[in-house]
Amino acid sequence: MIKRILVTGGAGFLGSHLCDRLVERGEDVICVDNFFTSQKSNIEHLLDRPNFELIRHDVTHPVFLEVDQIYNLACPAAPGHYQFNPIKTTKTSVMGAINVLGLAKRVGAKILHASTSEVYGDPDVHPQPESYRGNVNPIGPRACYDEGKRAAETLMFDYRRQNRVNIAVVRIFNTYGPRMHPYDGRVVSNFIRQALVGEEITIYGDGLQSRSFCYVDDLIDGIMSMMAVPEEFPGPVNLGNPNEFTIRQLAEQVVELSGSSSTIVTARPLPEDDPTQRQPDIGLARERLGWEPRIELREGLARTIEWFRRIDVSNFRAPTPNF
Ligand code: NAD
Ligand code: UDP
């Protein structure tokens, strides 16, 4: 049976890919977004589809809809975006969660919440399993995002305990792919944009800090598998690619795959509270969802570079000066 599905943050990088998949499956999709970090071009191709609807709305205000499922993705995700207006970031996480949970409670919808590996902070356990409680600085520049996301998880589990709302929490690790905002300041978009115009590739710190990069198609498979679990399984579940790379290795791969003449430079010190390592333990996702990523970094980067070659970056407005 066709389901009515709300995707908050549906015009963003991950949200627009999710909307694509849900529209293709024939679901009745409502995308809610305030376009803080995205633009209509991400979902332009969906606007004339009869089973897609766009509502410009800020999730810090309640929204009244009748839906069967909710994917809650609305939140700036890149450090330069979420640190631009940190109070708004916390509001979006916390008040956004309260509003969509209230909606889920009223209409009996299942809600999937996009949490993050940032709930682990700068981890001293490696790789990070879901049972690890994290090492987050509650007063640092990343706290608006990290603590906002942690509070949103708390709300999810309290609405489950108190109001029996059917929740599914996924902790997403660094994900990349086509439709990343070219000026979001994240490492993959920065390096590719720089490589394609022959600018210096800007490594922060010594480049030995690591991340594990998941290609967007794999991640969307994981999110949809989590929503589809028939029994009550709230998670949280890590979703990410466990193959870990240093930022320097990433820079080298981007230069090689793009055929760029850019030089790699150590441009500035590591930002405050920048995690030194990050790698998901995806044992739980393998066991409960039968999910694991399939696309290797080289393949995913090649596809992402192709997309960046095709777009005209002058059509993109930098959402904040922080890139
Ligand atoms: P994105 O910035 O591309 O998308 C976020 C979307 O939410 C944007 O379209 C933005 O305009 C919208 N938005 C922001 N504040 C809003 C508000 N108050 N009301 C309505 N809409 C609002 O980022 P993304 O990478 O697609 O991330 C999507 C979700 O996944 C976020 O919740 C993020 O925290 C989470 N996540 C992403 C990653 C990743 O690597 N991409 C990693 C961990 C978690
Ligand atoms: N980074 C970098 N150069 C850039 C952008 C980012 O070296 O131009 C580093 C950043 O300091 C961090 C890593 O790349 O160590 C990943 O940064 P990103 O902002 O993509 O995401 P994070 O995982 O830190 O949220």
Side-chain angles (χ1 to χ4, degrees):
M1 207 174 69
I2 295 174
K3 287 185 283 306
R4 298 160 302 175
I5 303 181
L6 167 63
V7 182
T8 75
F13 161 49
L14 297 181
S16 62
H17 286 277
L18 178 62
C19 286
D20 278 353
R21 298 274 293 272
L22 295 172
V23 167
E24 279 317 311
R25 208 171 68 184
E27 311 291 5
D28 192 354
V29 179
I30 304 173
C31 164
V32 162
D33 206 298
N34 71 349
F35 294 104
F36 170 44
T37 58
S38 56
Q39 56 284 306
K40 282 200 190 129
S41 57
N42 281 349
I43 42 139
E44 203 171 21
H45 57 286
L46 295 175
L47 292 176
D48 60 358
R49 300 287 289 260
N51 56 335
F52 181 79
E53 201 177 334
L54 170 67
I55 301 176
R56 184 188 278 263
H57 176 78
D58 186 320
V59 295
T60 59
H61 300 283
V63 59
F64 290 88
L65 296 165
E66 312 302 318
V67 291
D68 305 304
Q69 293 182 346
I70 301 167
Y71 289 87
N72 186 39
L73 273 62
C75 189
H81 290 169
Y82 67 67
Q83 289 171 21
F84 172 67
N85 184 345
I87 296 169
K88 180 64 193 266
T89 299
T90 302
K91 280 187 182 172
T92 295
S93 265
V94 174
M95 292 163 68
I98 290 171
N99 288 331
V100 286
L101 278 161
L103 171 62
K105 178 184 159 193
R106 181 174 63 80
V107 300
K110 179 170 181 177
I111 177 165
L112 181 143
H113 176 66
S115 190
T116 168
S117 53
E118 285 285 321
V119 299
Y120 303 124
D122 187 4
D124 39 27
V125 167
H126 196 71
Q128 295 84 54
E130 290 82 353
S131 55
Y132 174 53
R133 292 184 184 177
N135 176 32
V136 172
N137 175 1
I139 56 170
R142 296 174 86 103
C144 59
Y145 183 70
D146 301 9
E147 297 290 13
K149 288 285 187 179
R150 286 170 70 96
E153 285 200 10
T154 306
L155 283 161
M156 293 288 149
F157 280 81
D158 281 337
Y159 268 78
R160 177 172 193 263
R161 278 185 287 258
Q162 202 175 323
N163 300 118
R164 287 191 290 282
V165 172
N166 190 0
I167 61 158
V169 175
V170 293
R171 292 181 176 156
I172 302 170
F173 284 63
N174 295 65
T175 302
Y176 68 99
R179 300 195 197 139
M180 292 188 88
H181 197 295
Y183 296 112
D184 67 8
R186 288 190 260 201
V187 69
V188 173
S189 32
N190 262 13
F191 286 1
I192 294 178
R193 190 176 42 77
Q194 290 161 344
L196 292 183
V197 294
E199 280 177 14
E200 290 179 335
I201 309 281
T202 55
I203 287 183
Y204 305 157
D206 57 13
L208 297 179
Q209 73 272 30
S210 68
R211 294 292 186 274
S212 309
F213 298 100
C214 185
Y215 187 67
V216 59
D217 291 1
D218 281 335
L219 198 276
I220 302 298
D221 284 342
I223 288 184
M224 291 174 74
S225 307
M226 183 66 177
M227 183 61 105
V229 173
E231 70 275 16
E232 276 220 10
F233 174 50
V237 178
N238 288 339
L239 293 179
N241 191 319
N243 294 337
E244 188 180 355
F245 294 85
T246 66
I247 296 305
R248 185 168 287 280
Q249 286 173 322
L250 177 76
E252 287 162 359
Q253 283 214 26
V254 168
V255 170
E256 182 202 328
L257 290 167
S258 60
S260 170
S261 57
S262 293
T263 50
I264 299 172
V265 298
T266 39
R268 61 180 198 206
L270 210 55
E272 189 180 340
D273 290 340
D274 198 287
T276 47
Q277 54 182 2
R278 189 182 284 156
Q279 185 192 33
D281 176 335
I282 59 163
L284 188 62
R286 281 198 178 103
E287 182 196 319
R288 297 297 299 263
L289 311 179
W291 175 86
E292 63 183 349
R294 285 195 283 255
I295 298 165
E296 295 295 338
L297 184 63
R298 286 187 77 79
E299 168 66 21
L301 281 179
R303 292 187 199 181
T304 311
I305 290 167
E306 270 322 296
W307 181 79
F308 270 84
R309 277 193 209 283
R310 285 202 310 273
I311 59 167
D312 177 356
V313 289
S314 65
N315 288 333
F316 290 81
R317 178 181 53 89
T320 75
N322 293 356
F323 70 91

